[in-house]
Amino acid sequence: MAEPPPVVLVGVHGGEWFGAAAGQALYAATVLIGAPRHLSALPTDLPGQHVTLTGSLGATLERAATDRDHGERVCLVVSGDPGFFGLVRLARGRFGSGGLTVHPAPSSVALAFARAGQAWDDATVVSAHGRPLDPAVDAVLAYRKVAVLTSPEHPPQRLGQRLSERGVVVRDVAVASALGEAAESVWTGDVAGLAAGEFDPLSVVLCVTPDGGADERGWAWGRPDETYQHRDGMITKAEVRAIALGKLRLPAAGVLWDIGAGSGSVAAECARLAPGLRVFAVERHPDDVERLRTNLATTGAVVVAGEAPAALDELPDPDRVFVGGGGLAALDVAMARLRPGGTVVATYAAVDRAAAAGARLGNLVQVAVSRGVPIGPGPGLRLAADNPVFMCWGPEA
């Protein structure tokens, strides 16, 4: 018995396909399945029966399989490149690689960057179509050039609102809609305009850090203390901070609490190193809260004004916790709320608190740092010791 012909996927824009082989497949098809906007834009002399795509994609593929098994030459007409966040993965699972032929058009992302006059070989592309929105927000926080495929459940303006909530401000934004079609439009602006606008839900949103703008992602940690506003030296010193971040073993995603955040230096560096983390910086002193807001303004971290442990009640359970203040009561709450596999790191100046915390967490070290300072006007240096810090951490993975 002869094998049935492969199901064909043809990408189009505004009724136009790309390449002679795609045209030959369309004219050879006896059944053409696609969205109304795609089918209505095709040439009227195509001989195949038009079948409007309705319901789930799985049901559409089953219809295509049934028609194929009855000897029909089936062609699925889709937008752009079906191998790029499109139908190919699902269709390959149904028909196998040998039962599928693909003729792509340029992807909507390629067209969006073309309309913006930008290369996109250095871009990160994420989809919010049938997927949560937060990974797209995380990508914009993490990378300089990002394209987001939006959807009815996550339209462009909702992306803008979430970016604003996470503290993203400095981005050049473009919203490209109905690309390659008669109704094509490209809006340009900023994050605030994106959040306030109304756009076609099925769009491509480009978020690009302007030339010369700062990249909010960073693989540097233990940054100089002068990077952050702080009160009278009340900051987790750079060297201690670097060790604490190593002990935290930051995951790619999850929830982190910085309790007694002070300047927010730990929260800021955690947020930049792992933009998929939801970082909550908890601080009780009103003056420090204002410094926190300044230091964390572009990181996406959330400032929680209040005294631990009561201020922790409404926060989601953590995967990682840094305790820079708040005493043993805050540590006990953090350990009780910690998710499986999580880690707590706590620093103390007092020996008695450190000993109690070390007993709870299982690990304790003293971190002593001495800095080189000039001796008189010459080139000589002496070592000036910082106050030692006790660091506790656990549970061990």
Side-chain angles (χ1 to χ4, degrees), residues 360-385:
R360 287 165 165 81
L361 292 171
N363 300 279
L364 183 152
V365 297
Q366 184 192 73
V367 180
V369 176
S370 295
R371 303 178 188 279
V373 296
I375 300 176
L381 293 175
R382 65 178 180 84
L383 292 177

Side-chain angles (χ1 to χ4, degrees), residues 206-230:
L206 308 182
C207 297
V208 180
T209 302
D211 290 342
D215 191 349
E216 285 156 4
R217 183 182 64 164
W219 295 110
W221 61 95
R223 298 184 181 202
D225 296 346
E226 294 75 20
T227 305
Y228 308 99
Q229 294 184 20
H230 55 88

Side-chain angles (χ1 to χ4, degrees), residues 77-106:
V77 183
V78 296
S79 179
D81 183 352
F84 193 69
F85 291 104
L87 192 55
V88 166
R89 184 172 286 107
L90 191 61
R92 179 186 170 94
R94 176 61 181 82
F95 301 116
S97 59
L100 190 66
T101 300
V102 182
H103 300 289

Side-chain angles (χ1 to χ4, degrees), residues 135-161:
V137 176
D138 294 341
V140 176
L141 274 162
Y143 300 105
R144 297 182 66 87
K145 184 184 291 185
V146 179
V148 180
L149 304 172
T150 59
S151 62
E153 64 269 33
H154 301 307
Q157 57 269 26
R158 181 60 186 141
L159 172 65
Q161 291 156 12

Side-chain angles (χ1 to χ4, degrees), residues 133 137 150-165 173 175 177 187 190-203 205:
L133 184 60
V137 176
T150 59
S151 62
E153 64 269 33
H154 301 307
Q157 57 269 26
R158 181 60 186 141
L159 172 65
Q161 291 156 12
R162 287 290 291 119
L163 291 173
S164 295
E165 292 166 7
V173 179
V175 180
S177 309
W187 173 90
D190 55 16
V191 172
L194 178 65
E198 292 288 338
F199 304 96
D200 183 344
L202 297 175
S203 297
V205 180

Side-chain angles (χ1 to χ4, degrees), residues 24 29 39 43 50 58 90 97 104-105 109 120 135 151 196 200 207 214 321 324 372 396:
Q24 292 166 8
L39 296 177
H50 285 204
L90 191 61
S97 59
V109 174
W120 67 290
S151 62
D200 183 344
C207 297
V321 180
E396 292 282 27

